[in-house]
Amino acid sequence: MNRFTGFVKKEFLHIIRDVRSMLILFGIPVVQILLFGYVLSNEIRNANIAILDHSRDEITAQISQKLIASGYFRLKANLNSADQIEPLLKSGKVRQVIIFEPDFEKNLVRENKAHVQIIADASDPNTANMLVSYSRAIISDYFLESAETTSLPLQIDQEVRMLYNEELKGVFMFVPGTMALILMLLSAMMTSISIAREKELGTMEVLLVSPLRPVQIVLGKVTPYIGMAFINAVVIIALGVFVFGMPVLGSLTLLMAESLLFICMALSLGILISTKAKSQQVAMFISMFAFLLPTMLLSGFIFPVKNMPLLLQWISHVIPAKYYITIIKNIMLKGTGFLFVWKETLIIAAMMIAFIIASVRMFKVRLE
Amino acid sequence: MRTILFLLQKEFIQIFRDKTMLPMIILVPILQMLILVNAATFELKNISMVVVNQDMSATSRELISGFEGSKFFDLQYEFSVDKAHESLLDNTADVILVIPADFERDLIREKSASVQILINAIDGMAAGLINVYTGNFINDFRQDLLIEWMNIKPALRLFPLK
Amino acid sequence: MKITTQNISKSFGPIKALDDVSFQVDHGELFGVIGPDGAGKTTAIRILCGLSKPTSGEIMVAGLDVYRNANEIKKNIGYMSQKFSLYENLTVWENIRFFAGIYGMRLKDIKLKGRHMLERLEIEHLRDKLIASLPTGWRQKLAFSIAIFHEPQIVFLDEPTSGVDPVTRKQFWEMIYETAHNGTTVFVTTHYMDEAEYCDRVTIMTDGKIIALDTPEQLKEHYNAKSMDEVFRKLARNIE
């Protein structure tokens, strides 16, 4: 035991003394979560639009007013001719132009229909899609509310409740995803790199010759990172709660316990990588490419998994972050207990055990 | 100038001889493109909707069949709101549509009725879209009803052009 | 402690790194393994330390089989690898404390012995300096002192003097010499032929085989050579 504590102490010294490690450990997560929270937030708020109103009557004025009042759009320009549309869209100053045909109100009264044209900058198709959907919804809404329709019978009143995120905040998506990404990357990358470094320097051999058992070596390497990653988890959750207003509706203890499990899983994965990687560079490369991309794309962090092609959906089942994200969302935002996340918990635990068994095997093979 | 060719030659030999880096250099970008292009979509196709139909009338069934026929919605059915709520909690559903008892009776007698729509809004953007899609369906249904029951052609119908 | 190896062979695929090697190292002996790069020296030392398993053959250290009794043997051996083996971002003292600690020494003993060791090396003033800031010669001497700090009965040194300047090399060999004479068995590999002169007995290896094993004096006499370098050249010629 005395030997083991000495080992852990040495690992701590390594980490604390290395400015780069400290930056990676504590600087990057904070920057990342702030970045994701503020910049990458995908809410649509105050998108710049322009309106070309050929009719300039009372109804078009009211519709325009309603569009602006929704908060989704900000009127950047009132146009006078169609020639202005293209340069304006090209310049990127507005993302959408709404055009009312001439004699809008008259047509409406006479023929019971009128035309609105929506032109969106679809170079970012996702946003364009959203903008058009919102515009359509707001315009339909106007007619539903307008006096004539409300006076019609057969109203179907829709009581809509946005559960778990009443204000539709984007950070509710990004904070859990970022947490998973950071813990995954840090834990896996830091352990695999630090073990690979011992190999590269030749100190690993000295350790293997010593009376330390391989299990002790691995545990000694990993223990400091469990502590560090755990502190990280606390920092990230605190940022989410105090900076971005995420609630923790469920049990904080359960949340921390699940985070600890996820960290241990990621660390075992790091050990597995290090049994394969001969140098720090390779370890770094594998962790970056094997984890960063799939975790970002296939975990449901940014893009909903169930809209992806079937093949990618299958792959997503082996992405550990996917389960952790589900767990965090459930505990923090839905306030559910263990009963609703036991499946995910079990999967992460199973992954961890599989990684440990695989690493032990590989470790032995290397000694042959 | 010739010397740089030797340097280039050496670099290429090293790159092609490296058995770990080469596949990475070639495979990673290809995989990245394939995954990114296919994964990066906010489009909603399969909205899981749990329907709690407490009315069990011809009208409510007609409303539901509208959703059933749509490619946007995958429908499940529950008898109690609590049960439906659970499927929101365990992530098997995105939205719950509750059609209260007396939906049809209210429509006939009071000429108005209500439905409840509960959306999992953690993904705020998706929730916004789900709200729009669901709302559009219900409005369409209402306009069909107006024609069918009262022979009223809705005064204003909107045709946004694209 | 004695080391006995019997018919050890080690293959990496089609390449035979060690081919039917047998030798015995006596208690307190300074035993040198000399040969060019690729002769199998490092493979031999890795097998003796338990870092690698022989394809066939038997190794007994102090009458115990290396693989079956690894834990008891490990406490009693020291090892200094070919690559530099102290932690650069730890201080001199932290390195001492760490390596002594993993060999199970008590902190009180580490403090006392550590102070003596630093005094002997005349580097007390460097106690709290990072290893990275020390000149290479000092690092190497310190690495050796740490390898024998827990007073192992056998110490394995894998090319300890490669890349070290001639002056330090000489000082280094004096340290090794002294250690052996204090009763520690020293097993050392090198590709510098002149270093063989310091050893009690020398084995010369090429291509995974032992081609000569005796005291430096006997070897020189037998091959009628003035130096070990000459012995080696004559041996190499014989093989061809």
Side-chain angles (χ1 to χ4, degrees):
Chain A
M1 207 52 223
N2 200 4
R3 283 175 201 171
F4 182 68
T5 45
F7 197 100
V8 173
K9 206 189 253 174
K10 177 215 112 192
E11 281 303 316
F12 262 115
L13 285 176
H14 276 316
I15 300 167
I16 291 166
R17 209 152 281 167
D18 186 2
V19 180
R20 221 176 23 170
S21 303
M22 287 303 278
L23 264 180
I24 293 177
L25 265 174
F26 296 107
I28 291 181
V30 172
V31 172
Q32 214 165 20
I33 198 134
L34 291 175
L35 262 180
F36 276 132
Y38 283 121
V39 183
L40 265 183
S41 141
N42 60 0
E43 302 158 61
I44 291 187
R45 232 188 282 131
N46 297 327
N48 288 325
I49 61 164
I51 293 176
L52 172 54
D53 190 347
H54 288 298
S55 180
R56 291 185 194 272
D57 55 52
E58 201 179 323
I59 290 184
T60 59
Q62 278 174 8
I63 295 174
S64 306
Q65 182 54 41
K66 197 171 157 67
L67 281 168
I68 309 304
S70 70
Y72 295 125
F73 307 106
R74 186 163 54 195
L75 186 61
K76 191 83 179 168
N78 264 312
L79 307 182
N80 298 316
S81 94
D83 300 335
Q84 291 170 285
I85 297 172
E86 216 176 310
L88 196 61
L89 279 173
K90 268 190 180 153
S91 73
K93 278 183 195 134
V94 303
R95 311 182 80 159
Q96 177 179 274
V97 180
I98 292 174
I99 305 153
F100 296 101
E101 66 176 348
D103 301 324
F104 190 87
E105 191 173 1
K106 256 186 243 159
N107 289 343
L108 212 52
V109 175
R110 257 189 247 143
E111 300 164 36
N112 264 349
K113 67 181 189 188
H115 292 109
V116 182
Q117 195 176 7
I118 302 170
I119 301 176
D121 172 3
S123 56
D124 174 357
N126 285 321
T127 314
N129 237 330
M130 299 281 303
L131 289 175
V132 172
S133 300
Y134 284 154
S135 317
R136 287 187 66 163
I138 291 164
I139 299 172
S140 339
D141 221 38
Y142 171 80
F143 287 105
L144 287 174
E145 280 175 10
S146 70
E148 203 178 348
T149 11
T150 18
S151 66
L152 281 178
L154 303 185
Q155 282 294 323
I156 299 177
D157 183 30
Q158 300 172 24
E159 295 166 23
V160 178
R161 279 184 59 206
M162 293 293 183
L163 297 178
Y164 321 125
N165 182 4
E166 276 171 42
E167 296 164 53
L168 300 184
K169 285 186 185 166
V171 284
F172 281 29
M173 274 294 275
F174 282 114
V175 170
T178 314
M179 266 178 77
L181 184 68
I182 292 172
L183 294 182
M184 182 82 201
L185 271 187
L186 272 186
S187 313
M189 202 156 83
M190 295 303 285
T191 35
S192 63
I193 288 178
S194 92
I195 295 178
R197 181 167 53 200
E198 297 256 7
K199 280 193 207 165
E200 221 174 298
L201 292 175
T203 43
M204 187 52 108
E205 294 193 343
V206 181
L207 298 182
L208 286 173
V209 170
S210 80
L212 283 174
R213 273 173 294 153
V215 185
Q216 285 181 312
I217 297 176
V218 168
L219 279 180
K221 295 243 79 158
V222 162
T223 310
Y225 291 105
I226 295 180
M228 299 274 180
F230 194 71
I231 294 172
N232 253 312
V234 173
V235 171
I236 299 167
I237 291 173
L239 278 176
V241 171
F242 296 114
V243 180
F244 295 115
M246 294 270 294
V248 183
L249 297 177
S251 145
L252 187 64
T253 321
L254 181 62
L255 180 64
M256 295 325 282
E258 295 279 2
S259 301
L260 199 61
L261 175 71
F262 184 70
I263 289 168
C264 292
M265 185 281 312
L267 290 170
S268 347
L269 188 54
I271 297 169
L272 182 60
I273 292 173
S274 66
T275 59
K276 277 272 161 198
K278 287 195 190 73
S279 70
Q280 296 181 61
Q281 243 115 6
V282 175
M284 179 108 129
F285 210 73
I286 296 178
S287 348
M288 286 297 276
F289 283 98
F291 302 143
L292 184 65
L293 208 69
T295 305
M296 291 263 293
L297 296 177
L298 299 178
S299 65
F301 170 11
I302 303 178
F303 306 106
V305 172
K306 60 186 201 170
N307 298 321
M308 295 176 191
L310 220 50
L311 180 68
L312 292 183
Q313 292 193 31
W314 287 335
I315 300 175
S316 79
H317 291 318
V318 298
I319 310 284
K322 175 182 145 176
Y323 302 101
Y324 181 57
I325 290 176
T326 307
I327 292 173
I328 311 178
K329 283 183 186 164
N330 264 24
I331 297 175
M332 290 181 85
L333 302 173
K334 295 185 182 174
T336 59
F338 188 67
L339 268 180
F340 282 89
V341 294
W342 67 270
K343 262 182 268 170
E344 284 80 5
T345 311
L346 213 61
I347 291 172
I348 296 180
M351 284 178 163
M352 179 178 80
I353 292 166
F355 293 143
I356 291 174
I357 291 172
S359 329
V360 170
R361 288 239 169 112
M362 301 273 214
F363 211 77
K364 277 188 184 150
V365 168
R366 279 188 63 83
L367 278 181
E368 289 299 315
Chain B
M1 207 46 223
R2 249 170 52 91
T3 45
I4 203 164
L5 288 179
F6 286 103
L7 185 71
L8 275 176
Q9 191 185 32
K10 181 217 110 202
E11 290 299 329
F12 273 110
I13 291 174
Q14 280 180 325
I15 289 170
F16 284 104
R17 204 154 284 168
D18 192 330
K19 289 284 177 291
T20 42
M21 292 301 266
L22 187 66
M24 291 260 197
I25 291 170
I26 295 170
L27 275 179
V28 166
I30 294 176
L31 279 177
Q32 207 166 342
M33 279 303 288
L34 284 178
I35 294 177
L36 198 62
V37 166
N38 284 302
T41 171
F42 289 119
E43 229 177 287
L44 278 180
K45 273 177 279 180
N46 312 303
I47 303 168
S48 306
M49 176 184 265
V50 177
V51 177
V52 182
N53 186 359
Q54 295 166 330
D55 188 39
M56 291 299 179
S57 62
T59 314
S60 64
R61 269 196 292 270
E62 208 175 310
L63 171 61
I64 295 164
S65 73
F67 284 105
E68 256 173 354
S70 146
K71 63 180 170 134
F72 294 111
F73 293 93
D74 292 333
L75 262 58
Q76 300 158 256
Y77 299 92
E78 284 294 349
F79 290 107
S80 81
V81 179
D82 286 346
K83 269 272 181 215
H85 211 115
E86 259 176 45
S87 50
L88 272 194
L89 287 175
D90 69 14
N91 307 305
T92 47
D94 302 313
V95 53
I96 303 174
L97 173 68
V98 183
I99 304 175
D102 306 332
F103 175 75
E104 189 183 56
R105 206 195 59 191
D106 286 352
L107 266 182
I108 293 171
R109 283 201 204 155
E110 329 261 337
K111 302 290 177 224
S112 85
S114 70
V115 294
Q116 283 173 335
I117 300 163
L118 309 173
I119 305 174
N120 173 1
I122 290 179
D123 183 347
M125 206 171 58
L129 284 178
I130 291 172
N131 187 17
V132 171
Y133 288 167
T134 316
N136 282 348
F137 262 98
I138 294 174
N139 287 335
D140 280 356
F141 171 73
R142 180 204 171 206
Q143 305 204 320
D144 291 344
L145 273 192
L146 278 172
I147 298 169
E148 223 177 286
W149 288 11
M150 329 205 72
N151 203 16
I152 299 176
K153 261 207 154 170
L156 305 171
R157 230 173 178 175
L158 194 73
F159 300 95
L161 289 177
K162 278 224 182 172
Chain C
M1 261 206 194
K2 268 175 148 179
I3 308 170
T4 318
T5 72
Q6 252 166 22
N7 311 100
I8 48 172
S9 296
K10 172 81 182 178
S11 316
F12 297 103
I15 301 157
K16 276 204 158 174
L18 280 183
D19 190 1
D20 200 22
V21 171
S22 305
F23 57 81
Q24 187 174 328
V25 182
D26 290 322
H27 179 81
E29 189 174 25
L30 174 41
F31 189 86
V33 180
I34 313 251
D37 287 332
K41 292 172 300 188
T42 297
T43 311
I45 217 165
R46 287 176 59 89
I47 287 176
L48 290 176
C49 290
L51 282 172
S52 155
K53 267 188 184 163
T55 315
S56 63
E58 234 177 74
I59 305 148
M60 308 287 273
V61 171
L64 296 170
D65 184 284
V66 170
Y67 288 94
R68 256 166 262 147
N69 304 288
N71 287 337
E72 280 131 83
I73 291 169
K74 277 180 165 179
K75 279 177 217 154
N76 293 311
I77 63 178
Y79 172 63
M80 191 176 155
S81 84
Q82 199 169 357
K83 288 189 213 158
F84 188 62
S85 53
L86 295 178
Y87 293 103
E88 296 208 355
N89 57 358
L90 296 189
T91 64
V92 171
W93 176 249
E94 284 160 355
N95 267 288
I96 296 172
R97 190 181 58 194
F98 170 67
F99 283 108
I102 62 173
Y103 277 92
M105 285 179 69
R106 296 176 162 282
L107 201 58
K108 208 173 60 185
D109 300 336
I110 298 175
K111 277 185 182 150
L112 192 72
K113 266 199 83 181
R115 207 167 53 229
H116 288 315
M117 184 186 99
L118 292 174
E119 275 167 21
R120 214 170 39 246
L121 290 170
E122 296 171 352
I123 52 169
E124 295 125 294
H125 57 291
L126 300 176
R127 184 181 184 275
D128 296 316
K129 287 273 186 304
L130 293 182
I131 294 293
S133 68
L134 298 189
T136 323
W138 278 116
R139 290 188 205 179
Q140 212 70 351
K141 280 186 266 184
L142 190 64
F144 175 69
S145 304
I146 287 175
I148 57 166
F149 192 77
H150 60 285
E151 295 176 3
Q153 305 201 33
I154 305 174
V155 59
F156 293 97
L157 309 171
D158 190 9
E159 306 209 357
T161 53
S162 63
V164 176
D165 67 274
V167 180
T168 313
R169 251 172 71 194
K170 190 156 177 299
Q171 292 172 340
F172 198 86
W173 271 98
E174 276 158 15
M175 287 173 75
I176 296 175
Y177 202 70
E178 195 193 319
T179 308
H181 279 253
N182 288 337
T184 306
T185 309
V186 180
F187 187 99
V188 58
T189 68
T190 177
H191 60 263
Y192 296 112
M193 297 304 153
D194 58 314
E195 290 184 347
E197 312 271 359
Y198 293 96
C199 301
D200 293 330
R201 276 195 308 150
V202 172
T203 161
I204 298 176
M205 287 183 73
T206 50
D207 298 327
K209 289 197 181 80
I210 292 179
I211 54 172
L213 199 169
D214 216 327
T215 61
E217 294 72 29
Q218 294 270 337
L219 283 172
K220 279 187 276 189
E221 202 181 300
H222 187 270
Y223 290 96
N224 195 18
K226 279 196 223 61
S227 67
M228 283 303 293
D229 207 27
E230 204 182 331
V231 171
F232 183 74
R233 266 183 276 128
K234 285 189 172 169
L235 268 169
R237 220 173 294 144
N238 282 354
I239 289 171
E240 284 160 19

